């Protein structure tokens, strides 16, 4: 994975990860590349943070037009 970098506003750390995942659909390729933007948002002085990810499947038809966003 790439190193984390500070965003332009100084509130978050970000990185762009790419990886390959298998698919089990009857349609489409047997695997796909995924591009995932990962962000760490610092919430306050207590050391807590929120992790958000935005994933795009690059080899699936229309996969570049839809994203999966997760917050945890």
């Amino acid at each position: 994975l790439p190193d984390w970098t500070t965003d332009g506003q100084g509130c978050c750390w970000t990185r762009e990860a790419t990886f390959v995942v298998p698919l089990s659909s009857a349609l489409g390729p047997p695997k796909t590349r995924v591009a995932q933007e990962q962000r760490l948002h610092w919430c306050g002085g207590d050391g807590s943070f929120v992790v958000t990810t935005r994933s795009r499947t690059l080899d699936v038809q229309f996969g570049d037009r839809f994203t999966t966003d997760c917050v945890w």
Side-chain angles (χ1 to χ4, degrees):
L1 289 172
D3 291 334
W4 293 95
T5 58
T6 306
D7 75 343
Q9 300 171 347
C11 71
C12 312
W13 287 5
T14 64
R15 68 180 174 188
E16 179 85 16
T18 56
F19 49 91
V20 177
V21 296
L23 298 175
S24 59
S25 174
L27 299 173
K31 60 185 177 182
T32 185
R33 295 171 297 138
V34 176
Q36 188 177 75
E37 177 188 325
Q38 302 171 344
R39 298 177 73 84
L40 293 175
H41 303 267
W42 299 107
C43 295
D46 63 354
S48 62
F49 57 90
V50 174
V51 178
T52 62
T53 61
R54 174 168 284 178
S55 301
R56 292 175 286 121
T57 52
L58 303 176
D59 301 315
V60 176
Q61 186 175 11
F62 302 111
D64 60 338
R65 292 180 171 75
F66 299 96
T67 62
T68 303
D69 295 347
C70 299
V71 177
W72 18 274

